[in-house]
Amino acid sequence: DPDQVDLWRNEQRVEDPPYLTDALGDEAVSYIERHKTDPFFIYLAFNAPHVPLQATDKYLQRFPDLKGARRTYAAMISAMSFA
């Protein structure tokens, strides 16, 4: 798949990576929950909505009236809002 990129974590290749927008959001929430009593700063720069244009059915189903790249783009924006 030309849109698939290697994902690495702690010098280990992640096999069968999750949808990256959800994974990054989950990681940020997990960090916040673990460190909620400590001062910290998080800068989370999602790769969405940039290429590769990818979205899961969970988000694509929210836009049944849109087609093609426009639907995928809308789904990616939606994913960031719910991450």
Side-chain angles (χ1 to χ4, degrees):
D1 181 355
D3 289 335
Q4 184 67 40
V5 296
D6 285 343
L7 183 62
W8 292 77
R9 180 185 182 124
N10 298 328
E11 300 181 28
Q12 300 267 329
R13 187 173 188 270
V14 176
E15 300 295 330
D16 194 25
Y19 182 54
L20 191 56
T21 301
D22 287 343
L24 292 174
D26 290 346
E27 279 292 321
V29 169
S30 176
Y31 185 90
I32 292 166
E33 288 173 348
R34 288 191 320 269
H35 298 278
K36 61 185 167 191
T37 61
D38 303 321
F40 62 86
F41 171 81
I42 289 181
Y43 172 76
L44 175 53
F46 288 104
N47 66 313
H50 306 290
V51 293
L53 294 180
Q54 298 173 322
T56 62
D57 285 339
K58 171 182 172 181
Y59 300 110
L60 289 167
Q61 290 174 4
R62 294 178 180 173
F63 304 95
D65 296 332
L66 298 178
K67 303 293 181 216
R70 186 176 172 135
R71 183 179 186 202
T72 305
Y73 185 81
M76 293 172 75
I77 296 296
S78 177
M80 284 192 302
S81 296
F82 287 92

